[in-house]
Amino acid sequence: MDWPIAEVARMSGVTARTLRHYDEIGLLPPARIGANGHRYYEEHQLLLLQQILVLRALGVGLPEIGRVLAEQVDEVEALRGHHRRLLAERDRLDALAGTVSRTIAELEQSRKDGQPMTAINRPENLFEGVQPSQYEENLRDFPVLAEAVGRRAATMSPAEAEAGHRERTAQMIRLAELMAAGTPADAEPVQAEIDAQYRALTELRAVSADEYRTIGRSCVDNEQWRAAYEAIAPGLAAYQRDAMEAYATTRLG
């Protein structure tokens, strides 16, 4: 039995465009191409796609995924390895949830008594459970941008990657504080944060207004992105999306 690309996209949540990109780079060729030019996938390709998506969720770049798939021999052993990594990721997310919870408690207490946050006195406490490049690498619906991110990440030292990630996490926390203060998504303090994000993105490649709007919508539509934002503060994913929409409209045309 085989499935057309549209059905595979529906089942997996991966866009047909991304599946075609995976074929073009040799990562996931279809089982066959029909007389109509449509791609068709069999069980083997679906299992490979599952592995690709698991590895993407774990923050592995497409070039590295290609090497993993090329080197693996036994599918069961490969899945066991992925399972171990998923369990480790679960533990990391538990640690991240604890970190965010402690930060919220520290912020609330510091505002109540006017004293500095304990976590800020030890900045590493803010980042327990956080992995570098997690958010930008989760770009499977934007394969060209994902490749640009992968190329940049490959040139960065661990210290540079960690510093960049700390800044991205700090940006999310600043947006959460603006949201909690009732600042509209199109207000200048929020738009200044979005401008910094946009400029960092365009260091990788040009991003049009429409593409930026699409990326913004993914903050809510992409389950993993939404979970990352919501772990910081409930409603932050939609707030980020609305801020990016306002930025695209007023500054990008």
Side-chain angles (χ1 to χ4, degrees):
M1 182 176 179
D2 57 19
W3 295 267
I5 190 171
E7 181 66 12
V8 174
R10 184 195 66 78
M11 291 188 295
S12 66
V14 176
T15 65
R17 175 187 174 189
T18 297
L19 290 170
R20 287 192 292 270
H21 178 68
Y22 288 170
D23 178 18
E24 290 165 1
I25 64 175
L27 189 62
L28 183 66
R32 66 182 181 88
I33 297 179
N36 55 8
H38 292 175
R39 294 167 170 82
Y40 291 87
Y41 299 79
E42 296 178 352
E43 182 179 275
H44 176 67
Q45 283 73 39
L46 296 187
L47 287 170
L48 287 176
L49 178 59
Q50 181 198 54
Q51 293 189 56
I52 292 168
L53 297 185
V54 167
L55 291 169
R56 292 296 287 144
L58 290 168
V60 182
L62 294 181
E64 178 62 23
I65 290 175
R67 288 190 287 272
V68 170
L69 296 182
E71 292 171 2
Q72 73 181 32
V73 177
D74 184 84
E75 287 179 339
V76 173
E77 284 304 311
L79 287 170
R80 284 198 179 104
H82 301 332
H83 185 241
R84 287 192 294 271
R85 295 182 70 171
L86 286 169
L87 293 177
E89 176 70 358
R90 180 195 63 188
D91 293 342
R92 187 191 69 80
L93 288 173
D94 285 344
L96 178 58
T99 296
V100 173
S101 178
R102 287 193 302 273
T103 301
I104 291 169
E106 291 279 0
L107 280 169
E108 290 177 340
Q109 187 62 41
S110 69
R111 289 170 182 173
K112 186 179 298 183
D113 59 24
Q115 297 298 317
M117 277 181 61
T118 304
I120 293 299
N121 291 336
R122 294 184 62 204
E124 66 272 13
N125 291 347
L126 288 174
F127 304 101
E128 182 182 352
V130 176
Q131 287 182 340
S133 304
Q134 179 184 349
Y135 307 122
E136 278 76 359
E137 287 185 358
N138 187 17
L139 290 165
R140 64 175 179 237
D141 291 332
F142 308 96
V144 177
L145 187 57
E147 287 299 295
V149 169
R151 287 193 297 270
R152 169 65 66 83
T155 66
M156 297 174 71
S157 69
E160 289 171 332
E162 179 69 14
H165 183 65
R166 285 178 178 242
E167 172 54 27
R168 288 188 292 274
T169 304
Q171 285 177 338
M172 294 173 74
I173 292 173
R174 290 196 296 270
L175 279 178
E177 291 179 331
L178 288 166
M179 181 184 70
T183 309
D186 60 355
E188 179 54 34
V190 179
Q191 291 300 293
E193 294 289 344
I194 300 302
D195 182 63
Q197 293 179 14
Y198 179 77
R199 292 180 184 279
L201 196 60
T202 54
E203 288 179 2
L204 299 171
R205 62 179 289 271
V207 177
S208 69
D210 286 343
E211 186 175 15
Y212 199 55
R213 288 189 180 94
T214 301
I215 294 172
R217 289 192 291 271
S218 292
C219 294
V220 174
D221 297 340
N222 182 300
E223 182 178 347
Q224 292 168 323
W225 278 8
R226 184 174 65 251
Y229 282 100
E230 297 301 294
I232 299 294
L236 184 58
Y239 189 71
Q240 171 82 38
R241 176 201 61 198
D242 294 345
M244 292 173 70
E245 173 68 32
Y247 185 90
T249 299
T250 60
R251 303 201 187 188
L252 303 181

